[in-house]
Amino acid sequence: MAMGDMSMTDMSMTDMSMTDMPTATTTAAAATSTAMSMGGMNMGMGDAHSCKISMLWNWNTVDACFLSKSWHIKSTGMFAGSCIGVILLAILLEFLRRSVKEYDRYLIRANAKNDNFVAVTRNGMNGTHKGSDQEARGDAGLEEAGTGNSSAVSPAGAPIVSTGYRPKIYEQAIRALLHTVQFIVAYFLMLLAMYYNGYFIICIFIGAYIGSFVFQWEKLGGGQQTSAAGEATVCCG
């Protein structure tokens, strides 16, 4: 009897263990499913504020990203500040273009009286010719016919030919630095335009207009080219 009771007890414990195994498996699966669903909810909440980047024309404002994740627009005020910054960047580009030309003009003026900047004058060309006014006028007519350019004849003492000026190494280094900074700013504007954000592109146009109005207000004529003639491109420096 005792042995029979023990065997029945063992069988009952075995049945209970087998019954509990599916329950434990079901509980573990339910816990895993809950964890996955919670993780999915967290991921969904994170995606709600992710960067909006489009390679097509768009009018994105909040949650738009430019150049890097750190430039993530999180409010309308931040977007307005970014638009103002883009306008100022375009104005800076026009300022740098004018700076390059003004520095070149400064070098020419500063070295106009040096031996490196030699001007041939009409007095020097006709110094060996002496005679009456009629002979001088005849010589002038021959010079005009020979050169085919009446602008080559100038009043006495006025320079008509210049050998130019070659900048020193440190002056050329400054010229190259100004050009490089101009190039960098121009390419940043190009990269911003490639996001096809309508607001940013309009801001680039506004900055270019203001910058051109302020920094390209120069004298026209007088043997000098205009600003537009001196620039090979207008987008990338």
Side-chain angles (χ1 to χ4, degrees):
M1 291 292 295
M3 292 179 63
D5 293 339
M6 290 179 63
S7 60
M8 291 178 64
T9 302
D10 292 340
M11 291 176 64
S12 299
M13 292 178 65
T14 302
D15 293 339
M16 291 176 62
S17 298
M18 293 178 65
T19 303
D20 291 340
M21 286 177 65
T23 304
T25 304
T26 304
T27 304
T32 304
S33 177
T34 303
M36 291 177 65
S37 62
M38 291 180 65
M41 291 175 62
N42 292 333
M43 290 176 64
M45 292 176 63
D47 291 339
H49 299 284
S50 60
C51 291
K52 294 180 181 178
I53 299 176
S54 176
M55 297 303 294
L56 300 175
W57 186 270
N58 64 88
W59 298 95
N60 295 334
T61 54
V62 179
D63 285 334
C65 290
F66 301 95
L67 300 181
S68 66
K69 290 183 179 180
S70 59
W71 195 347
H72 184 179
I73 307 299
K74 298 181 180 179
S75 65
T76 55
M78 186 176 179
F79 186 78
S82 298
C83 288
I84 295 174
V86 172
I87 293 174
L88 294 177
L89 198 63
I91 295 174
L92 176 62
L93 177 61
E94 298 300 330
F95 169 75
L96 290 170
R97 285 175 172 163
R98 180 63 181 268
S99 298
V100 172
K101 292 185 288 186
E102 290 298 327
Y103 185 67
D104 287 348
R105 292 169 183 169
Y106 163 76
L107 292 179
I108 293 173
R109 290 194 304 266
N111 295 275
K113 296 182 179 179
N114 294 347
D115 294 337
N116 294 330
F117 196 92
V118 181
V120 180
T121 65
R122 179 167 176 76
N123 279 346
M125 293 176 64
N126 297 334
T128 59
H129 296 280
K130 295 182 181 180
S132 62
D133 294 340
Q134 185 177 1
E135 292 176 350
R137 286 193 295 271
D139 292 340
L142 290 175
E143 288 177 3
E144 291 180 10
T147 59
N149 183 8
S150 60
S151 63
V153 178
S154 59
I160 60 174
V161 180
S162 172
T163 60
Y165 170 71
R166 186 178 182 86
K168 299 179 178 65
I169 186 169
Y170 69 90
E171 294 171 341
Q172 181 61 21
I174 295 174
R175 295 178 75 241
L177 178 62
L178 289 173
H179 177 75
T180 303
V181 175
Q182 172 186 331
F183 208 77
I184 292 171
V185 173
Y187 266 90
F188 265 106
L189 286 174
M190 183 191 69
L191 290 174
L192 290 174
M194 290 177 64
Y195 283 87
Y196 301 100
N197 186 283
Y199 296 109
F200 268 30
I201 291 177
I202 292 173
C203 288
I204 292 173
F205 293 159
I206 293 173
Y209 175 82
I210 297 174
S212 176
F213 183 86
V214 174
F215 298 112
Q216 291 188 17
W217 197 345
E218 307 173 73
K219 290 183 178 180
L220 303 179
Q224 296 181 353
Q225 290 182 329
T226 64
S227 299
E231 293 170 2
T233 61
V234 294
C235 74
C236 307

